[in-house]
Amino acid sequence: MKLCSLILGLCSASALAFAAHAETLTIATVNNGDMIRMQKLTDDFASKNPDIELQWVTLEENVLRERVTTDIATKGGQYDVMTIGTYEVPIWAKQQWLLPLENLGADYDVKDIIPAIAGGLSADGKLYAAPFYGESSFIMYRTDLFEKAGLEMPEAPTWEFIGEAARKITDRSADINGICLRGKAGWGENMAFLTAMSNSFGARWFDETWQPQFDQPEWKNTLDFYVKLMNDAGPQGASSNGFNENLALFQQGKCGMWIDATVAASFVSNPKDSTVADKVGYALAPDNGLGKRGNWLWAWSLAIPAGTQKAAAAEKFVAWATSKDYLALVASKEGWANVPPGTRVSLYENPEYQKAAPFAKMTLDSINSADPTKPTVKPVPYVGVQFVAIPEFQGLGTTVGQLFSAALAGQMTVDDALAQAQSASVREMTRAGYIK
């Protein structure tokens, strides 16, 4: 009896000692499908790293950006791993707010990361964030509705064609909107779409001397086209719709077309969630014949803030979640079509993925065609396709996004929205010292 008690006591003491030495990583992430799936698969990580526990903070996109930016800028130290994007990485790396990822493991294969994606997550030749998934944007459309209307989607359509097709396939009586586009305000929500769209209309945020350009005809043409199209063929309440809302509408069969992130393809084509899974086609983002398409370049990535006290454990998690092995894990559970796309060259060379994902080639072509160093028709002093890679853009982009969302909602005219965007931009760029 005494021996049994002694053994139980030793076991309890060992368990307490283990619990005391286990490190808890706090991970801030976005509430999209790929990230939610990853959280469900972390038993695999736990089995390989029993001394590391994971605590999740899962947030809506705009809220996530606000919280992690505030935390890292104020050295708050709330998070050990942050989900951030292509916009933040080079800026934060320059501020020395992030740790370089230099110990991802011998079998990680950094060189396998798609060059366009790796380049956007690097600074001074070092990788500062590992891509969980990479994306561009393209058109997802209902093949059955196009066939019914006697339309054929070109592989590389123009905005004029998209406008005509959207109006033709709209059927309000059947609750079918010809097109769904982002309207929710935010620099990474409606302004991601509208900035990429404006590039194809010949617009730009700033000229070579950082003078704002919202008073120019290219932006007027962009916003006029967008608002009129959404009024004629978009869903009610579109000014409140971001990625997740439009995804739900498309999966429910209420969108004839949706121009958004290439990562959405696996969700709209998944019969478990999408009522139109077998009726989806894909095409390149539209253009106006000016040499630029309306597609962006982005990667949701995992980075380690410089203030963490758990850097080694954090890097183990980042390596696990962004590895080739993780892609194989998802494939074994959910099928190859549902693995996080847009990060690794080897994925697009994989015959199983090519067979399972009819959108694979279109995704890779879209990613490779987006050039952050030359995003616009006219020359600009900045890099970034759907954003301007300066610290001030986060606040300014959200301000402009609110104005453009209000124009979509009919709360102000397009002309008023552009005039206020111009004034706000001049004021901010003057305050920040870009213009005198």
Side-chain angles (χ1 to χ4, degrees):
M1 191 71 176
K2 289 183 178 180
L3 179 59
C4 182
S5 299
L6 179 60
I7 292 172
L8 288 172
L10 288 172
C11 289
S12 299
S14 297
L16 289 170
F18 172 79
H21 287 92
E23 287 190 292
T24 299
L25 296 178
T26 301
I27 304 166
T29 194
V30 65
N31 66 337
N32 64 34
D34 280 300
M35 294 299 187
I36 299 299
R37 180 183 290 135
M38 185 251 285
Q39 293 178 41
K40 294 178 180 177
L41 295 176
T42 49
D43 283 351
D44 181 78
F45 176 79
S47 68
K48 297 170 182 174
N49 299 275
D51 57 335
I52 301 174
E53 297 179 355
L54 305 178
Q55 178 176 302
W56 298 92
V57 179
T58 307
L59 303 166
E60 185 270 331
E61 188 170 322
N62 284 341
V63 178
L64 172 76
R65 289 189 168 110
E66 180 184 342
R67 296 240 185 122
V68 297
T69 299
T70 299
D71 186 68
I72 203 162
T74 60
K75 298 182 174 63
Q78 291 185 61
Y79 312 115
D80 303 298
V81 177
M82 292 177 166
T83 305
I84 61 176
T86 313
Y87 164 74
E88 293 95 346
V89 175
I91 297 173
W92 292 5
K94 186 177 179 180
Q95 298 283 349
Q96 298 184 335
W97 290 350
L98 302 174
L99 296 178
L101 301 178
E102 299 176 313
N103 297 294
L104 292 169
D107 59 348
Y108 184 79
D109 196 2
V110 172
K111 292 181 180 179
D112 186 46
I113 298 174
I114 294 172
I117 298 295
L121 303 177
S122 301
D124 299 324
K126 294 181 179 179
L127 191 70
Y128 278 86
F132 185 74
Y133 68 77
E135 66 181 41
S136 184
S137 54
F138 61 12
I139 304 166
M140 293 157 279
Y141 67 96
R142 289 272 301 278
T143 55
D144 58 327
L145 296 181
F146 267 65
E147 184 177 352
K148 181 180 178 182
L151 295 167
E152 184 174 343
M153 175 70 81
E155 184 174 301
T158 63
W159 280 109
E160 181 181 11
F161 174 84
I162 293 302
E164 292 173 355
R167 291 175 172 92
K168 193 168 183 178
I169 62 178
T170 295
D171 185 351
R172 303 295 192 196
S173 64
D175 201 16
I176 295 174
N177 306 287
I179 195 163
C180 293
L181 302 172
R182 295 189 188 193
K184 180 186 289 186
W187 71 266
E189 279 281 10
N190 65 337
M191 290 315 298
F193 173 78
L194 284 168
T195 300
M197 179 183 180
S198 76
N199 294 339
S200 65
F201 277 72
R204 50 188 177 167
W205 271 76
F206 307 105
D207 68 10
E208 300 97 312
T209 61
W210 292 103
Q211 296 291 333
Q213 298 293 291
F214 292 106
D215 58 354
Q216 297 301 301
E218 293 87 353
W219 264 110
K220 166 77 169 168
N221 293 339
T222 302
L223 202 57
D224 263 339
F225 184 95
Y226 166 77
V227 170
K228 289 175 182 176
L229 176 60
M230 292 298 283
N231 285 338
D232 291 345
Q236 285 190 338
S239 61
S240 298
N241 292 347
F243 175 87
N244 286 333
E245 292 80 8
N246 284 328
L247 171 61
L249 286 171
F250 195 95
Q251 289 178 322
Q252 293 162 12
K254 297 181 179 181
C255 298
M257 286 183 284
W258 180 28
I259 304 174
D260 212 298
T262 52
V263 71
S266 66
F267 298 114
V268 300
S269 61
N270 187 339
K272 292 181 181 178
D273 304 309
S274 176
T275 62
V276 296
D278 60 342
K279 303 178 180 69
V280 185
Y282 309 93
L284 294 173
D287 72 356
N288 280 312
L290 301 177
K292 293 292 177 184
R293 295 202 162 272
N295 61 300
W296 63 63
L297 183 67
W298 184 257
W300 274 123
S301 306
L302 301 178
I304 302 173
T308 182
Q309 302 300 310
K310 305 166 185 175
E315 197 156 8
K316 285 183 180 180
F317 175 77
V318 170
W320 171 83
T322 62
S323 65
K324 291 179 183 179
D325 287 345
Y326 178 78
L327 298 183
L329 174 65
V330 175
S332 70
K333 302 288 186 181
E334 304 282 348
W336 277 106
N338 294 305
V339 304
T343 62
R344 291 186 172 271
V345 174
S346 58
L347 178 64
Y348 291 88
E349 295 173 343
N350 184 330
E352 292 182 81
Y353 184 65
Q354 293 171 0
K355 182 179 179 181
F359 45 81
K361 183 180 184 302
M362 190 69 69
T363 295
L364 189 61
D365 288 347
S366 298
I367 288 172
N368 287 333
S369 70
D371 186 355
T373 65
K374 294 179 181 178
T376 54
V377 175
K378 298 176 182 178
V380 291
Y382 56 84
V383 298
V385 180
Q386 77 278 24
F387 56 80
V388 178
I390 57 174
E392 293 77 14
F393 181 77
Q394 191 162 353
L396 182 57
T398 295
T399 297
V400 174
Q402 290 166 345
L403 294 168
F404 289 179
S405 185
L408 177 60
Q411 297 167 359
M412 65 172 65
T413 66
V414 165
D415 288 342
D416 285 343
L418 289 168
Q420 291 189 41
Q422 179 72 9
S423 297
S425 300
V426 169
R427 186 165 57 248
E428 175 59 26
M429 297 306 280
T430 302
R431 183 199 65 77
Y434 289 85
I435 56 179
K436 303 299 182 185

